Amino acid sequence: MIELGKYAGAVLGAYGVSLALLGGLIWQTLAANARARRALEKQERHG
């Protein structure tokens, strides 16, 4: 593993926060897509 020295905690924490934010954005995008798809299917069924 890369030697990060005394900044290891800050660097790894930043990586962790970044990955968590990216995961949240992906989850939000997929959830919004599913909601839009259901709304479109409902609209197509009921005119």
Side-chain angles (χ1 to χ4, degrees):
M1 184 163 175
I2 299 173
E3 180 60 39
L4 300 174
K6 65 180 181 176
Y7 300 108
V11 170
L12 294 176
Y15 274 116
V17 169
S18 297
L19 288 174
L21 288 172
L22 283 173
L25 286 171
I26 290 169
W27 178 80
Q28 181 184 18
T29 300
L30 293 174
N33 183 35
R35 281 191 305 271
R37 187 178 305 269
R38 284 192 303 269
L40 178 60
E41 289 173 356
K42 181 180 176 184
Q43 182 68 23
E44 287 176 343
R45 280 194 307 268
H46 296 274

